[in-house]
Amino acid sequence: MADMSFLNWPFLEDHHRDLARRLDTWCQEVLVPFVESRDVHHDLDGSCKAILTLLAEGGFTRYAVPKAYGGVHDSLDVRSLCLIRMTLAYYSGLADFVFAMQGLGSGTISLYGSEETKAHYLTGVGEGRLCAAFALTEPESGSDVAATRTAAELDGDHYIINGAKTFISNGGIADQYVVFARTGPGEGARGLTAFVLDADTEGLDTSERIDVIAPHPLATLKFNNCRVPARNQLGELGGGFKAAMATLDIFRSTVGAAALGFARRALDEAVTRADGRELFGAPLHNLQLVQAMIGESALDIDASALLIFRAAWAKDSGQPRVTREAAMAKLHATDQAQQVIDRAVQIFGGMGVVSGVKVEELYREIRALRIYEGASEVQKVVIARAHIAEAAG
């Protein structure tokens, strides 16, 4: 990665700096040759599983679980997660996706699972043996989690789950799914509970796959009288909304970090292009309009990085306010990465929209980040409500 000066910022510790440098070297020596040797479009599922194996062999999936279950840190270290996602995204959007889902897909288990549940699932996630998924979004609710319709009804020592989830990352290839379902009569968010569901559960249909502009494994999940052991409940009955939000408080900052990785790569590609291309008898970078685009992008990247590592530091250090910071980091980094990448495409000219050119790939990769784990509009509401509540005392 061209600019590593951010590693000297006070938000980070020496072990974070060592991780970033080690991962960057691993990406150049292991990840890039692998990605360049495969046609992921024709073997998407196989490529994701192979990348998961590589990440596990490199020891990086261990950062997705706590130390008690084979992880690196006592609890999930958000700064480490952000550094990993940023670095992986710089080199491969698909590799970032694979790593991110190990964390997000098991995060609720780390936070709310029983000791038995944690031991059963998290060890395999950290070793890369189990592929994790997080099933929250529904066809009719989108970002409105409180409108969840999937229902779980207690039947002896099992819950019977019926309903559907959609746009579920790792859908169809995951070994287990964290699922949020309505268990009580309470309206809105008050009646939701979280469960972990094995992929081979009878009545679970993951066959409806979804193709998107940046290829990732996505599916609609259908639950038809799925029997889930009551011991697979995560957290308190009716505590599902709280569990979902606590999980997102950790991983929203990492979405911003992935966007930051995309933006850094786009700026590096744009500068290389501006240095190597002549226009009107001089290097493209001599044009002041091009210089302005590069300057704006550098500003956007540094501002995003500061917000991301502030939010990650706040969570890791136990600061009382983290939701607002995570929302700001996610909102600014994803929205501004879109602008940085768009400028890079413009600097490339016609080549910027040619399939296979890196900035064209980045243009497709960035768009979904402004939607998942809470759309940009939702983040604005989260930030505003937090600010209004604090102002009111």
Side-chain angles (χ1 to χ4, degrees):
M1 199 177 299
D3 181 10
M4 303 286 278
S5 61
F6 65 92
L7 292 178
N8 296 320
W9 291 354
F11 294 119
L12 301 175
E13 300 173 25
D14 285 344
H15 66 86
H16 294 120
R17 299 177 181 98
D18 292 340
L19 168 63
R21 295 188 178 100
R22 178 163 52 88
L23 179 57
D24 191 71
T25 299
W26 180 88
C27 286
Q28 294 180 52
E29 295 179 351
V30 177
L31 180 61
V32 172
F34 173 82
V35 172
E36 291 179 347
S37 70
R38 293 181 72 101
D39 184 351
V40 299
H41 295 269
H42 288 89
D43 186 19
L44 182 59
D45 292 357
S47 296
C48 287
K49 292 177 181 178
I51 290 171
L52 179 56
T53 298
L54 291 176
L55 287 167
E57 290 173 348
F60 300 111
T61 51
R62 295 176 58 222
Y63 287 88
V65 299
K67 181 183 285 186
Y69 310 98
V72 177
H73 300 285
D74 290 338
S75 59
L76 296 177
D77 185 81
V78 185
R79 286 168 292 178
S80 294
L81 296 173
C82 285
L83 286 168
I84 292 172
R85 290 204 64 182
M86 180 187 69
T87 306
L88 290 176
Y90 183 92
Y91 291 102
S92 167
L94 191 60
D96 164 63
F97 168 88
V98 171
F99 174 80
M101 290 315 304
Q102 290 300 96
L104 178 63
S106 65
T108 310
I109 302 174
S110 295
L111 294 173
Y112 293 97
S114 66
E115 287 304 314
E116 178 185 4
T117 301
K118 291 177 183 178
H120 181 71
Y121 291 104
L122 296 182
T123 303
V125 170
E127 294 175 350
R129 290 187 291 103
L130 296 179
C131 181
F134 182 82
L136 181 62
T137 301
E138 296 195 354
E140 300 301 324
S141 62
S143 294
D144 186 5
V145 177
T148 293
R149 296 181 180 178
T150 296
E153 182 177 350
L154 186 62
D155 179 25
D157 59 356
H158 284 72
Y159 278 90
I160 310 300
I161 298 182
N162 286 283
K165 302 288 182 178
T166 195
F167 292 111
I168 304 307
S169 297
N170 276 348
I173 69 170
D175 294 292
Q176 74 268 347
Y177 299 87
V178 169
V179 178
F180 298 84
R182 189 164 297 284
T183 52
E187 295 183 0
R190 290 174 289 182
L192 304 182
T193 303
F195 302 89
V196 56
L197 184 80
D198 292 327
D200 60 1
T201 299
E202 186 175 353
L204 174 60
D205 180 2
T206 63
S207 62
E208 186 179 326
R209 302 296 290 270
I210 303 170
D211 293 327
V212 289
I213 57 175
H216 300 111
L218 288 172
T220 293
L221 312 183
K222 297 177 182 178
F223 307 92
N224 183 19
N225 293 323
C226 293
R227 293 184 64 83
V228 182
R231 65 177 180 272
N232 282 23
Q233 178 179 316
L234 303 174
E236 299 176 353
L237 187 68
F241 184 84
K242 175 184 175 182
M245 295 305 105
T247 305
L248 293 177
D249 272 349
I250 293 174
F251 290 97
R252 272 182 176 155
S253 296
T254 78
V255 178
L260 179 61
F262 291 147
R264 287 188 185 279
R265 181 61 182 269
L267 179 57
D268 287 351
E269 294 287 330
V271 169
T272 300
R273 175 72 168 172
D275 284 344
R277 183 186 180 193
E278 286 199 358
L279 198 65
F280 306 117
L284 186 61
H285 66 216
N286 280 6
L287 295 177
Q288 289 186 332
L289 285 174
V290 173
Q291 293 172 5
M293 294 166 76
I294 292 172
E296 288 172 349
S297 293
L299 171 62
D300 291 340
I301 285 170
D302 271 20
S304 294
L306 286 164
L307 286 169
I308 290 162
F309 289 113
R310 178 188 71 163
W313 168 83
K315 182 64 177 176
D316 289 340
S317 61
Q319 298 298 307
R321 193 181 69 188
V322 296
T323 300
R324 170 184 177 274
E325 280 68 18
M328 283 185 169
K330 200 262 187 188
L331 171 64
H332 189 276
T334 55
D335 280 2
Q336 296 312 306
Q338 182 88 55
Q339 299 301 316
V340 172
I341 293 168
D342 188 73
R343 294 184 198 113
V345 170
Q346 198 72 11
I347 288 172
F348 265 71
M351 287 300 297
V353 293
V354 173
S355 180
V357 174
K358 188 64 180 181
V359 293
E360 180 270 340
E361 175 189 321
L362 293 168
Y363 196 82
R364 290 183 288 106
E365 288 280 4
I366 187 56
R367 192 58 185 86
L369 274 66
R370 294 170 60 202
I371 299 173
Y372 73 66
E373 293 191 36
S376 293
E377 291 75 16
V378 172
Q379 305 312 315
K380 292 175 183 178
V381 172
V382 169
I383 295 164
R385 286 178 176 173
H387 190 78
I388 292 169
E390 287 195 8

